[in-house]
């Protein structure tokens, strides 16, 4: 019979159906290898579908009788997480509930104020802070002193100082090579870098950290080997914000992937800067097994591009798409409706542009004003009215009314669906 | 925005209001070989954006004796998007829906004259046609889901004075079977002032149910709806250089 650990930890992800939380894999791997917790803490990861009723999420977590329940929170699962936490706290009052993720980190104090069931929030990267927090819970330490943690203290909400970004990414253990996560076909992701060279105002990836940090080639090779050789794997993806940052780096990853690609392993939905892609980069992508890439332009409206700190060169964009097509790579072009200064005409020009480019796939979405982004900070200045509750959809801008936005959503969705419905539409993971 | 070129496969098909145009219409079908030659010419000369895309129109495709040959031949010729203009009643029979999707049909354009059996069947003169069309469209959607491929239903309503008040309900009926868009086609027979409230209601019914409603033959501005509704998601255009015969 298994002995109950001194500290039973449940890590809970509410994911798109079939997916696992890579973030939880990272924090679990780091905590499992922490000598302070070794032999004392036991970990269980629950990767649940985001469509599961929060009542039953709480039921599944409560069944583990955890001392600590940790949830990964994104904009699209936040409401469900909050509700599940509320029920869980009523069911298991002694369970310590901690949240982390991009939805809650930048607004940690507000989230704690609005969700009395939540005990603490980890801001920013979680690997080191989560292990410190578990150690503190286990040994009765002072939570409020842990860098990067916001928690309750004597009836108040208190935020410790920020934790510096992890300087050496190789210092954090891999979720795959440690066995903290078992890669699943189609939905496994590898991370080779953190941060983004761009500073797009609607995205949090490039904000706050001055540079892009990379894992070493040896570490990337080990992760690729672990994922690509896992039983049943035929395809996976990389979660890097720009996969083709430099040709040299792309060549390195292409070299590592090539043997797996040669035996049929495919990479899907790789985020690229399409304007950097020439025939050389496209060939490297194809050699790595890339079958589909995802890119902008998000908008073609000049004022919105300027407000969002984005570059768009129509000629280079077209050239990048054409290079991918020549290499047999499907391109998914993304458009966002509701960016500051964009008008209905800009929206239509964007649709016309991506249809004319004929990339293979078009993805259309509505702006979400996310915590931690420049648009969140400057929403009032831009006149953006958005839903304060997650997922923070845009409601109105000075240049597009509520009605305009809803109309654009319906038209954009219909046109992209018509575009997608081809005789040869390939079936691949979303 | 996505253009399909019309390939008439016959004459005399389509749904029309019997109160506007009494009398029977007889269908005639064209031979397969010249049709496929026409398709080949369209494919070879395609210059209209993403494509080539074709729509078989003019007569009910499921009554054409060689529909499978027409579909397979078009796809073999390089057609990227294949649309059938059909009353949808045959899609609910046998395995027509699954077979169509399996063969490569991804778009259908379906006409309705009303949003209920009482209006549609009465106006088209075919009892049971409404329920059969609804069942056919549902079957097509389910076949697309079963085969994991996108299938798009485009509704079309030829609006006249006999069905103008039923246009919002017709849009709702299309929404209930998962249509992505509905075109309201006007021929000038309905005064703008009469059309105005019903078109507005139809457009709003579409927005609330995520169905795009486009206007043809009547400007959006004239009926007080957003000018965006002058825009259609697909354009079914005449072939350059004439039609097959």
């Amino acid at each position: 019979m298994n002995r109950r650990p001194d500290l039973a930890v449940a890590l809970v992800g509410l994911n798109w159906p079939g997916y696992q939380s890579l973030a939880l894999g990272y924090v679990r791997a780091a905590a499992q290898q922490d000598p302070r917790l070794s032999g004392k803490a036991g970990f269980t990861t629950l990767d649940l579908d985001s469509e599961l009723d929060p009542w039953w999420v709480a039921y599944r977590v409560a069944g583990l009788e955890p001392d600590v329940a940790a949830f990964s929170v994104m904009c699209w699962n936040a409401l469900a997480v909050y509700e599940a936490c509320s029920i869980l706290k009523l069911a298991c009052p002694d369970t310590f509930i901690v949240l982390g993720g991009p939805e809650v980190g930048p607004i940690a104090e507000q989230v704690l104020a609005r969700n009395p069931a939540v005990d603490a929030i980890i801001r920013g990267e979680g690997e080191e802070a989560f292990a410190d927090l578990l150690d503190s819970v286990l040994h009765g330490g002072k939570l409020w002193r842990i860098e990067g943690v916001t928690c309750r203290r004597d009836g108040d909400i208190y935020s410790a100082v920020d934790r510096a970004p992890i300087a050496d990414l190789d210092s954090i253990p891999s979720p795959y090579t440690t066995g903290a996560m078992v890669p699943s076909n189609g939905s496994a992701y590898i991370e080779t870098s953190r941060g983004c060279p761009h500073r797009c105002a609607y995205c949090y990836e490039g904000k706050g950290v001055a540079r892009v940090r990379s894992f070493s080639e040896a570490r990337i090779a080990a992760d690729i080997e672990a994922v690509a050789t896992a039983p049943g794997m035929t395809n996976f993806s990389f979660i890097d914000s720009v996969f083709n940052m430099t040709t040299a780096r792309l060549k390195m990853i292409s070299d590592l992937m090539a043997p797996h690609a040669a035996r049929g392993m495919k990479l899907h939905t790789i985020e690229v800067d399409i304007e950097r892609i020439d025939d050389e980069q496209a060939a490297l992508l194809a050699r790595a097994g890339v079958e589909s890439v995802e890119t902008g332009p998000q908008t073609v409206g000049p004022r919105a591009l300027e407000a969002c700190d984005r570059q768009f060169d129509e000629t280079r964009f077209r050239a990048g798409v054409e290079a991918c097509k020549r290499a047999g790579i499907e391109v998914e072009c993304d458009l966002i409706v509701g960016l500051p200064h964009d008008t209905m005409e800009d929206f239509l020009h964007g649709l016309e542009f991506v249809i004319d480019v004929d990339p293979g796939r078009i993805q259309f979405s509505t702006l979400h004003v996310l915590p931690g982004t420049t648009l969140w900070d400057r929403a009032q200045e831009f006149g953006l009215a958005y839903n304060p509750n997650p997922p923070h959809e845009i409601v109105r801008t000075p240049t597009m009314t509520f009605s305009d936005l809803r109309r654009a959503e319906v038209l954009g969705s219909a046109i992209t669906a018509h575009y997608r419905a081809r005789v040869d539409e390939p079936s691949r993971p979303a | 925005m996505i253009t399909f070129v019309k390939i008439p496969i016959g004459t005399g098909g389509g749904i029309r209001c019997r109160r506007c145009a009494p009398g029977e219409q007889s269908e005639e079908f064209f031979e397969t070989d010249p049709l496929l030659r026409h398709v080949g010419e369209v494919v070879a000369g395609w210059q209209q954006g993403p494509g080539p895309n074709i729509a078989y129109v003019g007569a009910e495709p499921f009554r054409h004796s060689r529909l499978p040959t027409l579909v397979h031949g078009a796809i073999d010729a390089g057609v990227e998007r294949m649309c059938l203009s059909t009353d949808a009643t045959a899609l609910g029979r046998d395995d027509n829906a699954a077979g169509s999707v399996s063969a490569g049909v991804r778009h259908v354009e379906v006409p309705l004259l009303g949003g209920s059996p009482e209006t549609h069947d009465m106006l088209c003169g075919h009892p049971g046609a409404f329920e059969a069309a609804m069942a056919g469209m549902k079957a097509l959607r389910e076949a697309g889901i079963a085969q994991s491929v996108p299938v798009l239903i485009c509704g079309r309503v030829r609006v006249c004075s006999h069905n103008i008040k039923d246009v919002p309900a017709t849009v709702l009926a299309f929404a209930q079977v998962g249509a992505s868009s509905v075109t309201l086609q006007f021929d000038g027979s309905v005064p703008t002032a009469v059309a105005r409230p019903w078109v507005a209601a139809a457009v709003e019914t579409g927005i609330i149910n995520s169905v795009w409603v486009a206007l043809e033959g009547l400007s959006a501005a004239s009926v007080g709806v957003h000018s965006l509704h002058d825009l259609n998601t697909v354009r079914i255009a005449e072939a350059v250089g004439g039609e097959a015969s």
Side-chain angles (χ1 to χ4, degrees), chain B residues 19-65:
Chain B
R19 292 175 65 185
C20 291
E24 290 297 320
Q25 54 188 9
S26 61
E27 275 184 323
E28 289 183 19
F29 292 95
F30 299 145
E31 293 294 324
T32 307
D33 288 346
L35 284 174
L36 288 176
R37 276 201 298 278
H38 187 199
V39 170
E41 290 162 10
V42 168
V43 169
W46 186 264
Q47 292 182 340
Q48 306 191 62
N53 316 315
I54 64 159
Y56 283 143
V57 302
E60 173 54 44
F62 287 94
R63 283 196 286 272
H64 195 292
S65 61

Side-chain angles (χ1 to χ4, degrees), chain A residues 420 427, chain B residues 97-98 101-102 105-106 137-153 176-178:
Chain A
R420 184 183 160 217
S427 163
Chain B
V101 174
S102 165
V105 173
R106 298 288 180 267
M137 288 187 275
K138 281 180 193 163
L140 190 73
R141 290 281 295 177
E142 286 164 8
I145 292 166
Q147 296 180 36
S148 299
V149 293
V151 174
L152 274 292
I153 297 168
Q176 287 166 346
V177 292

Side-chain angles (χ1 to χ4, degrees), chain A residues 153-207:
Chain A
R153 182 188 178 201
D154 301 331
D156 286 332
I157 293 168
Y158 185 84
S159 289
V161 296
D162 289 342
R163 182 176 290 260
I166 297 166
D168 175 13
L169 290 185
D170 280 3
S171 68
I172 54 176
S174 161
Y176 295 117
T177 58
T178 58
M181 281 180 82
V182 176
S184 60
N185 188 39
S187 61
Y189 283 93
I190 290 176
E191 182 183 49
T192 76
S193 63
R194 287 186 180 178
C196 181
H198 301 302
R199 296 288 179 269
C200 305
Y202 50 79
C203 179
Y204 46 73
E205 288 286 351
K207 195 162 178 280

Side-chain angles (χ1 to χ4, degrees), chain A residues 74 102 125 191 193-213 239-242 271 370-374:
Chain A
M74 311 294 284
E125 289 173 315
E191 182 183 49
S193 63
R194 287 186 180 178
C196 181
H198 301 302
R199 296 288 179 269
C200 305
Y202 50 79
C203 179
Y204 46 73
E205 288 286 351
K207 195 162 178 280
V209 180
R211 64 185 178 87
V212 177
R213 295 159 294 150
I239 204 168
D240 303 0
S241 50
V242 181
E271 292 264 7
L370 299 175
T373 65
T374 300

